[in-house]
Amino acid sequence: MIPATCLWDKLQSLAEYSKHALAAEIRRLAHLTPGSLKKELESKIYAPINRIPDNLLSDIFLLGLQDDHEDDEHFEFPQRHQGLISRVCYHWKSVIEHTPLAWANITVLDRQPFTTTKRFLTFSRKCLINVTIGWGGSPSYGDNAYNIDEMDHLFTLLLPEAYRWQSLYIAVVEYSLMFHIVQRLQLVAAPNLSLLVLGNCRVKRADDVFTPVRFLPKHKLFQSSPGAPVLRDVDLYAVHVDWSSSFLSSSLRSLTLSAHAFDVRPEPQRFFDILAGCSESLEAFTLDDSGPALRHDEDWGPYVSQKIELPKLRTLKVALVPPRHALGIFNMIVARNVTELTLNFEIWTTEAEWNGLIKQLCTGSDNSMEPMFPALLSLRLLSLPAEPMYLGTLLFYYPTITYLVVNFKYGYDALLDTLGNPIHKSALPPSELPGWATAFHSRVMQYQGKHMEGDQMTEESVRHALWVCPKLQWLKVYGFRGKQMRLLVAGRKEGGVPLKEVWYAHTCSVNVPDRAWLKATLEVFREFTDDTHEDDGGFTDDGSYYGDD
């Protein structure tokens, strides 16, 4: 007697055969004796994997589904693994379909009627779900583009499950779709939502005036009780809302405002109120081509006098804003615990204004002669159009830096001497520093005095008093030549402050001998793709999100 489960599994497998293969398999089975047939079919039941308890098999499936192959650039359909597992055998199908967490990450890649999405919603049952709608690339262009009708149909499926949303990530190309989404999110309650990312990935830079005008109205989100009370991470990329929405005044942990046209930016006082509202919880803040609706020549004075303490802020990025805006932002906030700072600007005006920003970063808004961010460990200088002497001085004031990114495409070659030589031999000797920066030299002398043994300086004083960024371990560079890097690495090694890792853009020119020497000298010497998106953060054309490296 052959067990029914064995026969069922065999019949299930035959359904996948082609006509030719099916005929051949039937002929083969017909020639087996009853004993041989029973032995063949029952062998699967006694295979070691079939003795694994269902709860353990479920955990194995979850481990296999973890990360959704995030390192595979060509991986397009993260849902396919659940389907493949369910096709192995009836037993596996039953186990995977009764493992709700295996269906909790819902990436909407199918089209109307959204059969796959429905399946995920069904099998995830009552567990919290993470919803990703990346409609930014193909087939979102041309005749095959997603449309409002499809978005409506999709949200008809998703809105009844809003109480289960844990994260909601939406990236589209057509702003008509995003505007429709924002409208649909007005009267929604999402009591478990912790992450919200909305991105119009067609926009690269914000204009002065938002277009098209028909999408100008602003809407409040999550107005139905209880709203979105646990929302902690918000990223609005070229997507505007009614800035008085209550979810922007909650205890946010991370806030990113990017690529907002001037006429849809928050009013100045509302912008500052948003920051003040999450002052006790904010850990990461990005202001990229966005900010308060203040013109370049308007007075920030009435606003920056109201200092906003951000004691938990660790990561700060300010990019693509005019000098006065950058000065205003840094004047306004008090965030002495920042450990990661990214600066990425363009030449809006003269170098003198950017020099003023560096002075503020080094001495504080009150000229205290103390750096604004004394705990700083990581600095990304992607573009800061100041004089090289001021850029070097910026590094002088932050001896705690261990990770540095410099884009040498913008002509910061003078920094090479500053980083590759002791201070007294570098291209920026104290006698040539700006008057306000001479205090750094005094500080060096005081440090040396504390580390003298007789007339000799101790090893500690040599290592830390005479070098810019003496604790620097990791350096990432754009627009560099191998010979320059070799001199820098050799200089720091001889000075007792060696680098551990250097990452260089693939567009950098590094010949074979220099590459061999650098690989032998450093723990890591590795190439990366020269793409400023890697550090900027935002949306690519295909709707995927890029963040810090």
Side-chain angles (χ1 to χ4, degrees):
M1 188 76 178
I2 300 174
T5 54
C6 297
L7 289 172
W8 175 252
D9 286 346
K10 186 60 180 179
L11 289 173
Q12 286 280 95
S13 67
L14 290 176
E16 306 298 323
Y17 282 48
S18 66
K19 280 188 177 181
H20 179 74
L22 181 60
E25 178 66 2
I26 290 174
R27 284 196 298 271
R28 186 186 71 83
L29 293 174
H31 285 86
L32 293 177
T33 64
S36 298
L37 180 62
K38 180 179 179 182
K39 185 177 180 181
E40 178 177 320
L41 296 180
E42 285 187 338
S43 64
K44 293 182 179 179
I45 257 192
Y46 298 110
I49 195 167
N50 288 323
R51 294 198 293 269
I52 297 176
D54 287 357
N55 61 336
L56 184 55
L57 188 60
S58 177
D59 289 341
I60 292 172
F61 291 158
L62 290 177
L63 285 173
L65 294 169
Q66 199 170 12
D67 299 329
D68 276 341
H69 288 243
E70 60 184 14
D71 295 327
D72 183 354
E73 334 180 308
H74 307 294
F75 186 77
E76 298 176 351
F77 302 103
Q79 310 100 312
R80 67 179 181 181
H81 285 287
Q82 289 86 342
L84 288 174
I85 290 171
S86 65
R87 292 170 67 177
V88 171
C89 66
Y90 178 78
H91 180 217
W92 280 29
K93 182 176 186 292
S94 176
V95 171
I96 192 69
E97 290 181 357
H98 287 83
T99 305
L101 283 176
W103 309 86
N105 296 321
I106 304 174
T107 302
V108 181
L109 295 170
D110 51 338
R111 306 295 295 262
Q112 196 164 305
F114 300 105
T115 304
T116 302
T117 299
K118 288 178 184 176
R119 189 168 183 236
F120 271 67
L121 289 171
T122 299
F123 292 140
S124 59
R125 291 176 171 80
K126 294 188 179 298
C127 72
L128 298 182
I129 55 178
N130 302 301
V131 180
T132 298
I133 306 171
W135 289 5
S138 180
S140 292
Y141 294 108
D143 296 335
N144 291 323
Y146 287 100
N147 54 53
I148 289 178
D149 180 61
E150 282 185 298
M151 184 64 78
D152 256 340
H153 188 90
L154 175 60
F155 264 73
T156 300
L157 300 175
L158 293 177
L159 287 178
E161 309 296 331
Y163 71 97
R164 296 201 288 137
W165 294 352
Q166 183 170 247
S167 68
L168 181 62
Y169 167 106
I170 306 176
V172 298
V173 170
E174 295 298 333
Y175 201 77
S176 57
L177 285 177
M178 182 55 69
F179 189 74
H180 196 68
I181 292 164
V182 170
Q183 287 180 312
R184 296 295 301 268
L185 291 176
Q186 287 184 93
L187 300 177
V188 172
N192 293 297
L193 186 66
S194 63
L195 168 69
L196 175 68
V197 178
L198 301 177
N200 177 19
C201 50
R202 172 172 287 176
V203 174
K204 300 303 178 186
R205 290 292 307 276
D207 295 321
D208 219 30
V209 178
F210 179 84
T211 53
V213 176
R214 67 181 184 277
F215 300 134
L216 194 59
K218 303 172 184 177
H219 301 285
K220 290 185 178 181
L221 275 56
F222 308 117
Q223 292 187 77
S224 292
S225 180
V230 301
L231 190 57
R232 295 292 178 265
D233 303 297
V234 173
D235 188 334
L236 301 176
Y237 185 92
V239 174
H240 64 276
V241 298
D242 186 327
W243 300 107
S244 65
S245 297
S246 59
F247 76 90
L248 288 170
S249 298
S250 61
S251 51
L252 295 180
R253 178 178 56 197
S254 172
L255 176 62
T256 296
L257 302 178
S258 303
H260 289 112
F262 183 84
D263 58 345
V264 295
R265 293 182 180 182
E267 290 298 316
Q269 191 55 58
R270 177 55 191 155
F271 174 81
F272 303 135
D273 288 345
I274 290 172
L275 280 184
C278 54
S279 62
E280 294 300 318
S281 58
L282 197 64
E283 298 176 10
F285 179 47
T286 294
L287 194 67
D288 186 350
D289 199 11
S290 183
L294 278 167
R295 294 289 181 186
H296 178 57
D297 56 353
E298 287 186 73
D299 183 15
W300 281 65
Y303 306 105
V304 297
S305 58
Q306 35 185 320
K307 299 286 187 182
I308 298 177
E309 298 269 355
L310 300 172
K312 291 187 177 180
L313 192 67
R314 298 291 185 272
T315 303
L316 175 63
K317 174 181 177 180
V318 183
L320 301 182
V321 297
R324 179 171 290 218
H325 281 222
L327 283 163
I329 294 296
F330 287 121
N331 258 323
M332 179 185 66
I333 64 173
V334 178
R336 296 183 61 81
N337 294 314
V338 168
T339 58
E340 299 178 28
L341 176 65
T342 298
L343 303 173
N344 184 17
F345 304 108
E346 290 185 352
I347 301 176
W348 295 75
T349 52
T350 63
E351 286 182 336
E353 289 195 83
W354 294 113
N355 294 344
L357 174 63
I358 288 181
K359 176 181 177 180
Q360 182 174 325
L361 291 170
C362 292
T363 64
S365 56
D366 54 359
N367 288 322
S368 63
M369 306 309 292
E370 295 293 332
M372 288 193 69
F373 308 114
L376 193 66
L377 298 175
S378 171
L379 176 63
R380 289 174 169 85
L381 283 177
L382 301 182
S383 176
L384 180 52
E387 295 178 60
M389 179 169 63
Y390 280 79
L391 292 169
T393 305
L394 176 63
L395 298 182
F396 286 169
Y397 265 80
Y398 287 93
T400 54
I401 291 174
T402 60
Y403 178 91
L404 179 64
V405 179
V406 182
N407 189 348
F408 286 98
K409 293 178 183 178
Y410 292 94
Y412 300 156
D413 286 2
L415 287 182
L416 299 175
D417 284 339
T418 305
L419 288 167
N421 292 284
I423 291 172
H424 66 282
K425 291 183 179 180
S426 74
L428 301 171
S431 61
E432 296 182 15
L433 293 176
W436 53 268
T438 54
F440 179 80
H441 185 242
S442 300
R443 194 176 302 164
V444 170
M445 295 301 101
Q446 291 172 7
Y447 190 93
Q448 290 177 352
K450 293 178 181 178
H451 295 83
M452 295 286 286
E453 292 179 356
D455 292 329
Q456 300 295 317
M457 293 179 62
T458 65
E459 180 183 353
E460 184 71 11
S461 65
V462 172
R463 286 172 58 86
H464 293 278
L466 298 180
W467 285 86
V468 169
C469 301
K471 298 182 179 180
L472 187 63
Q473 301 282 303
W474 301 274
L475 179 63
K476 180 177 180 180
V477 293
Y478 301 82
F480 218 103
R481 293 190 299 277
K483 184 177 180 181
Q484 295 172 311
M485 179 57 67
R486 183 168 177 171
L487 290 172
L488 189 155
V489 171
R492 293 187 71 91
K493 183 178 180 182
E494 292 168 8
V497 285
L499 292 170
K500 286 186 176 181
E501 298 187 15
V502 171
W503 294 70
Y504 64 100
H506 78 282
T507 52
C508 294
S509 176
V510 185
N511 62 32
V512 174
D514 288 337
R515 182 180 286 107
W517 185 89
L518 288 163
K519 286 182 74 72
T521 305
L522 296 161
E523 291 183 15
V524 175
F525 182 63
R526 190 169 299 170
E527 181 183 284
F528 66 90
T529 302
D530 187 353
D531 183 354
T532 53
H533 289 173
E534 194 168 336
D535 286 295
D536 287 352
F539 291 88
T540 60
D541 287 335
D542 65 358
S544 59
Y545 184 80
Y546 51 83
D548 287 344
D549 56 339

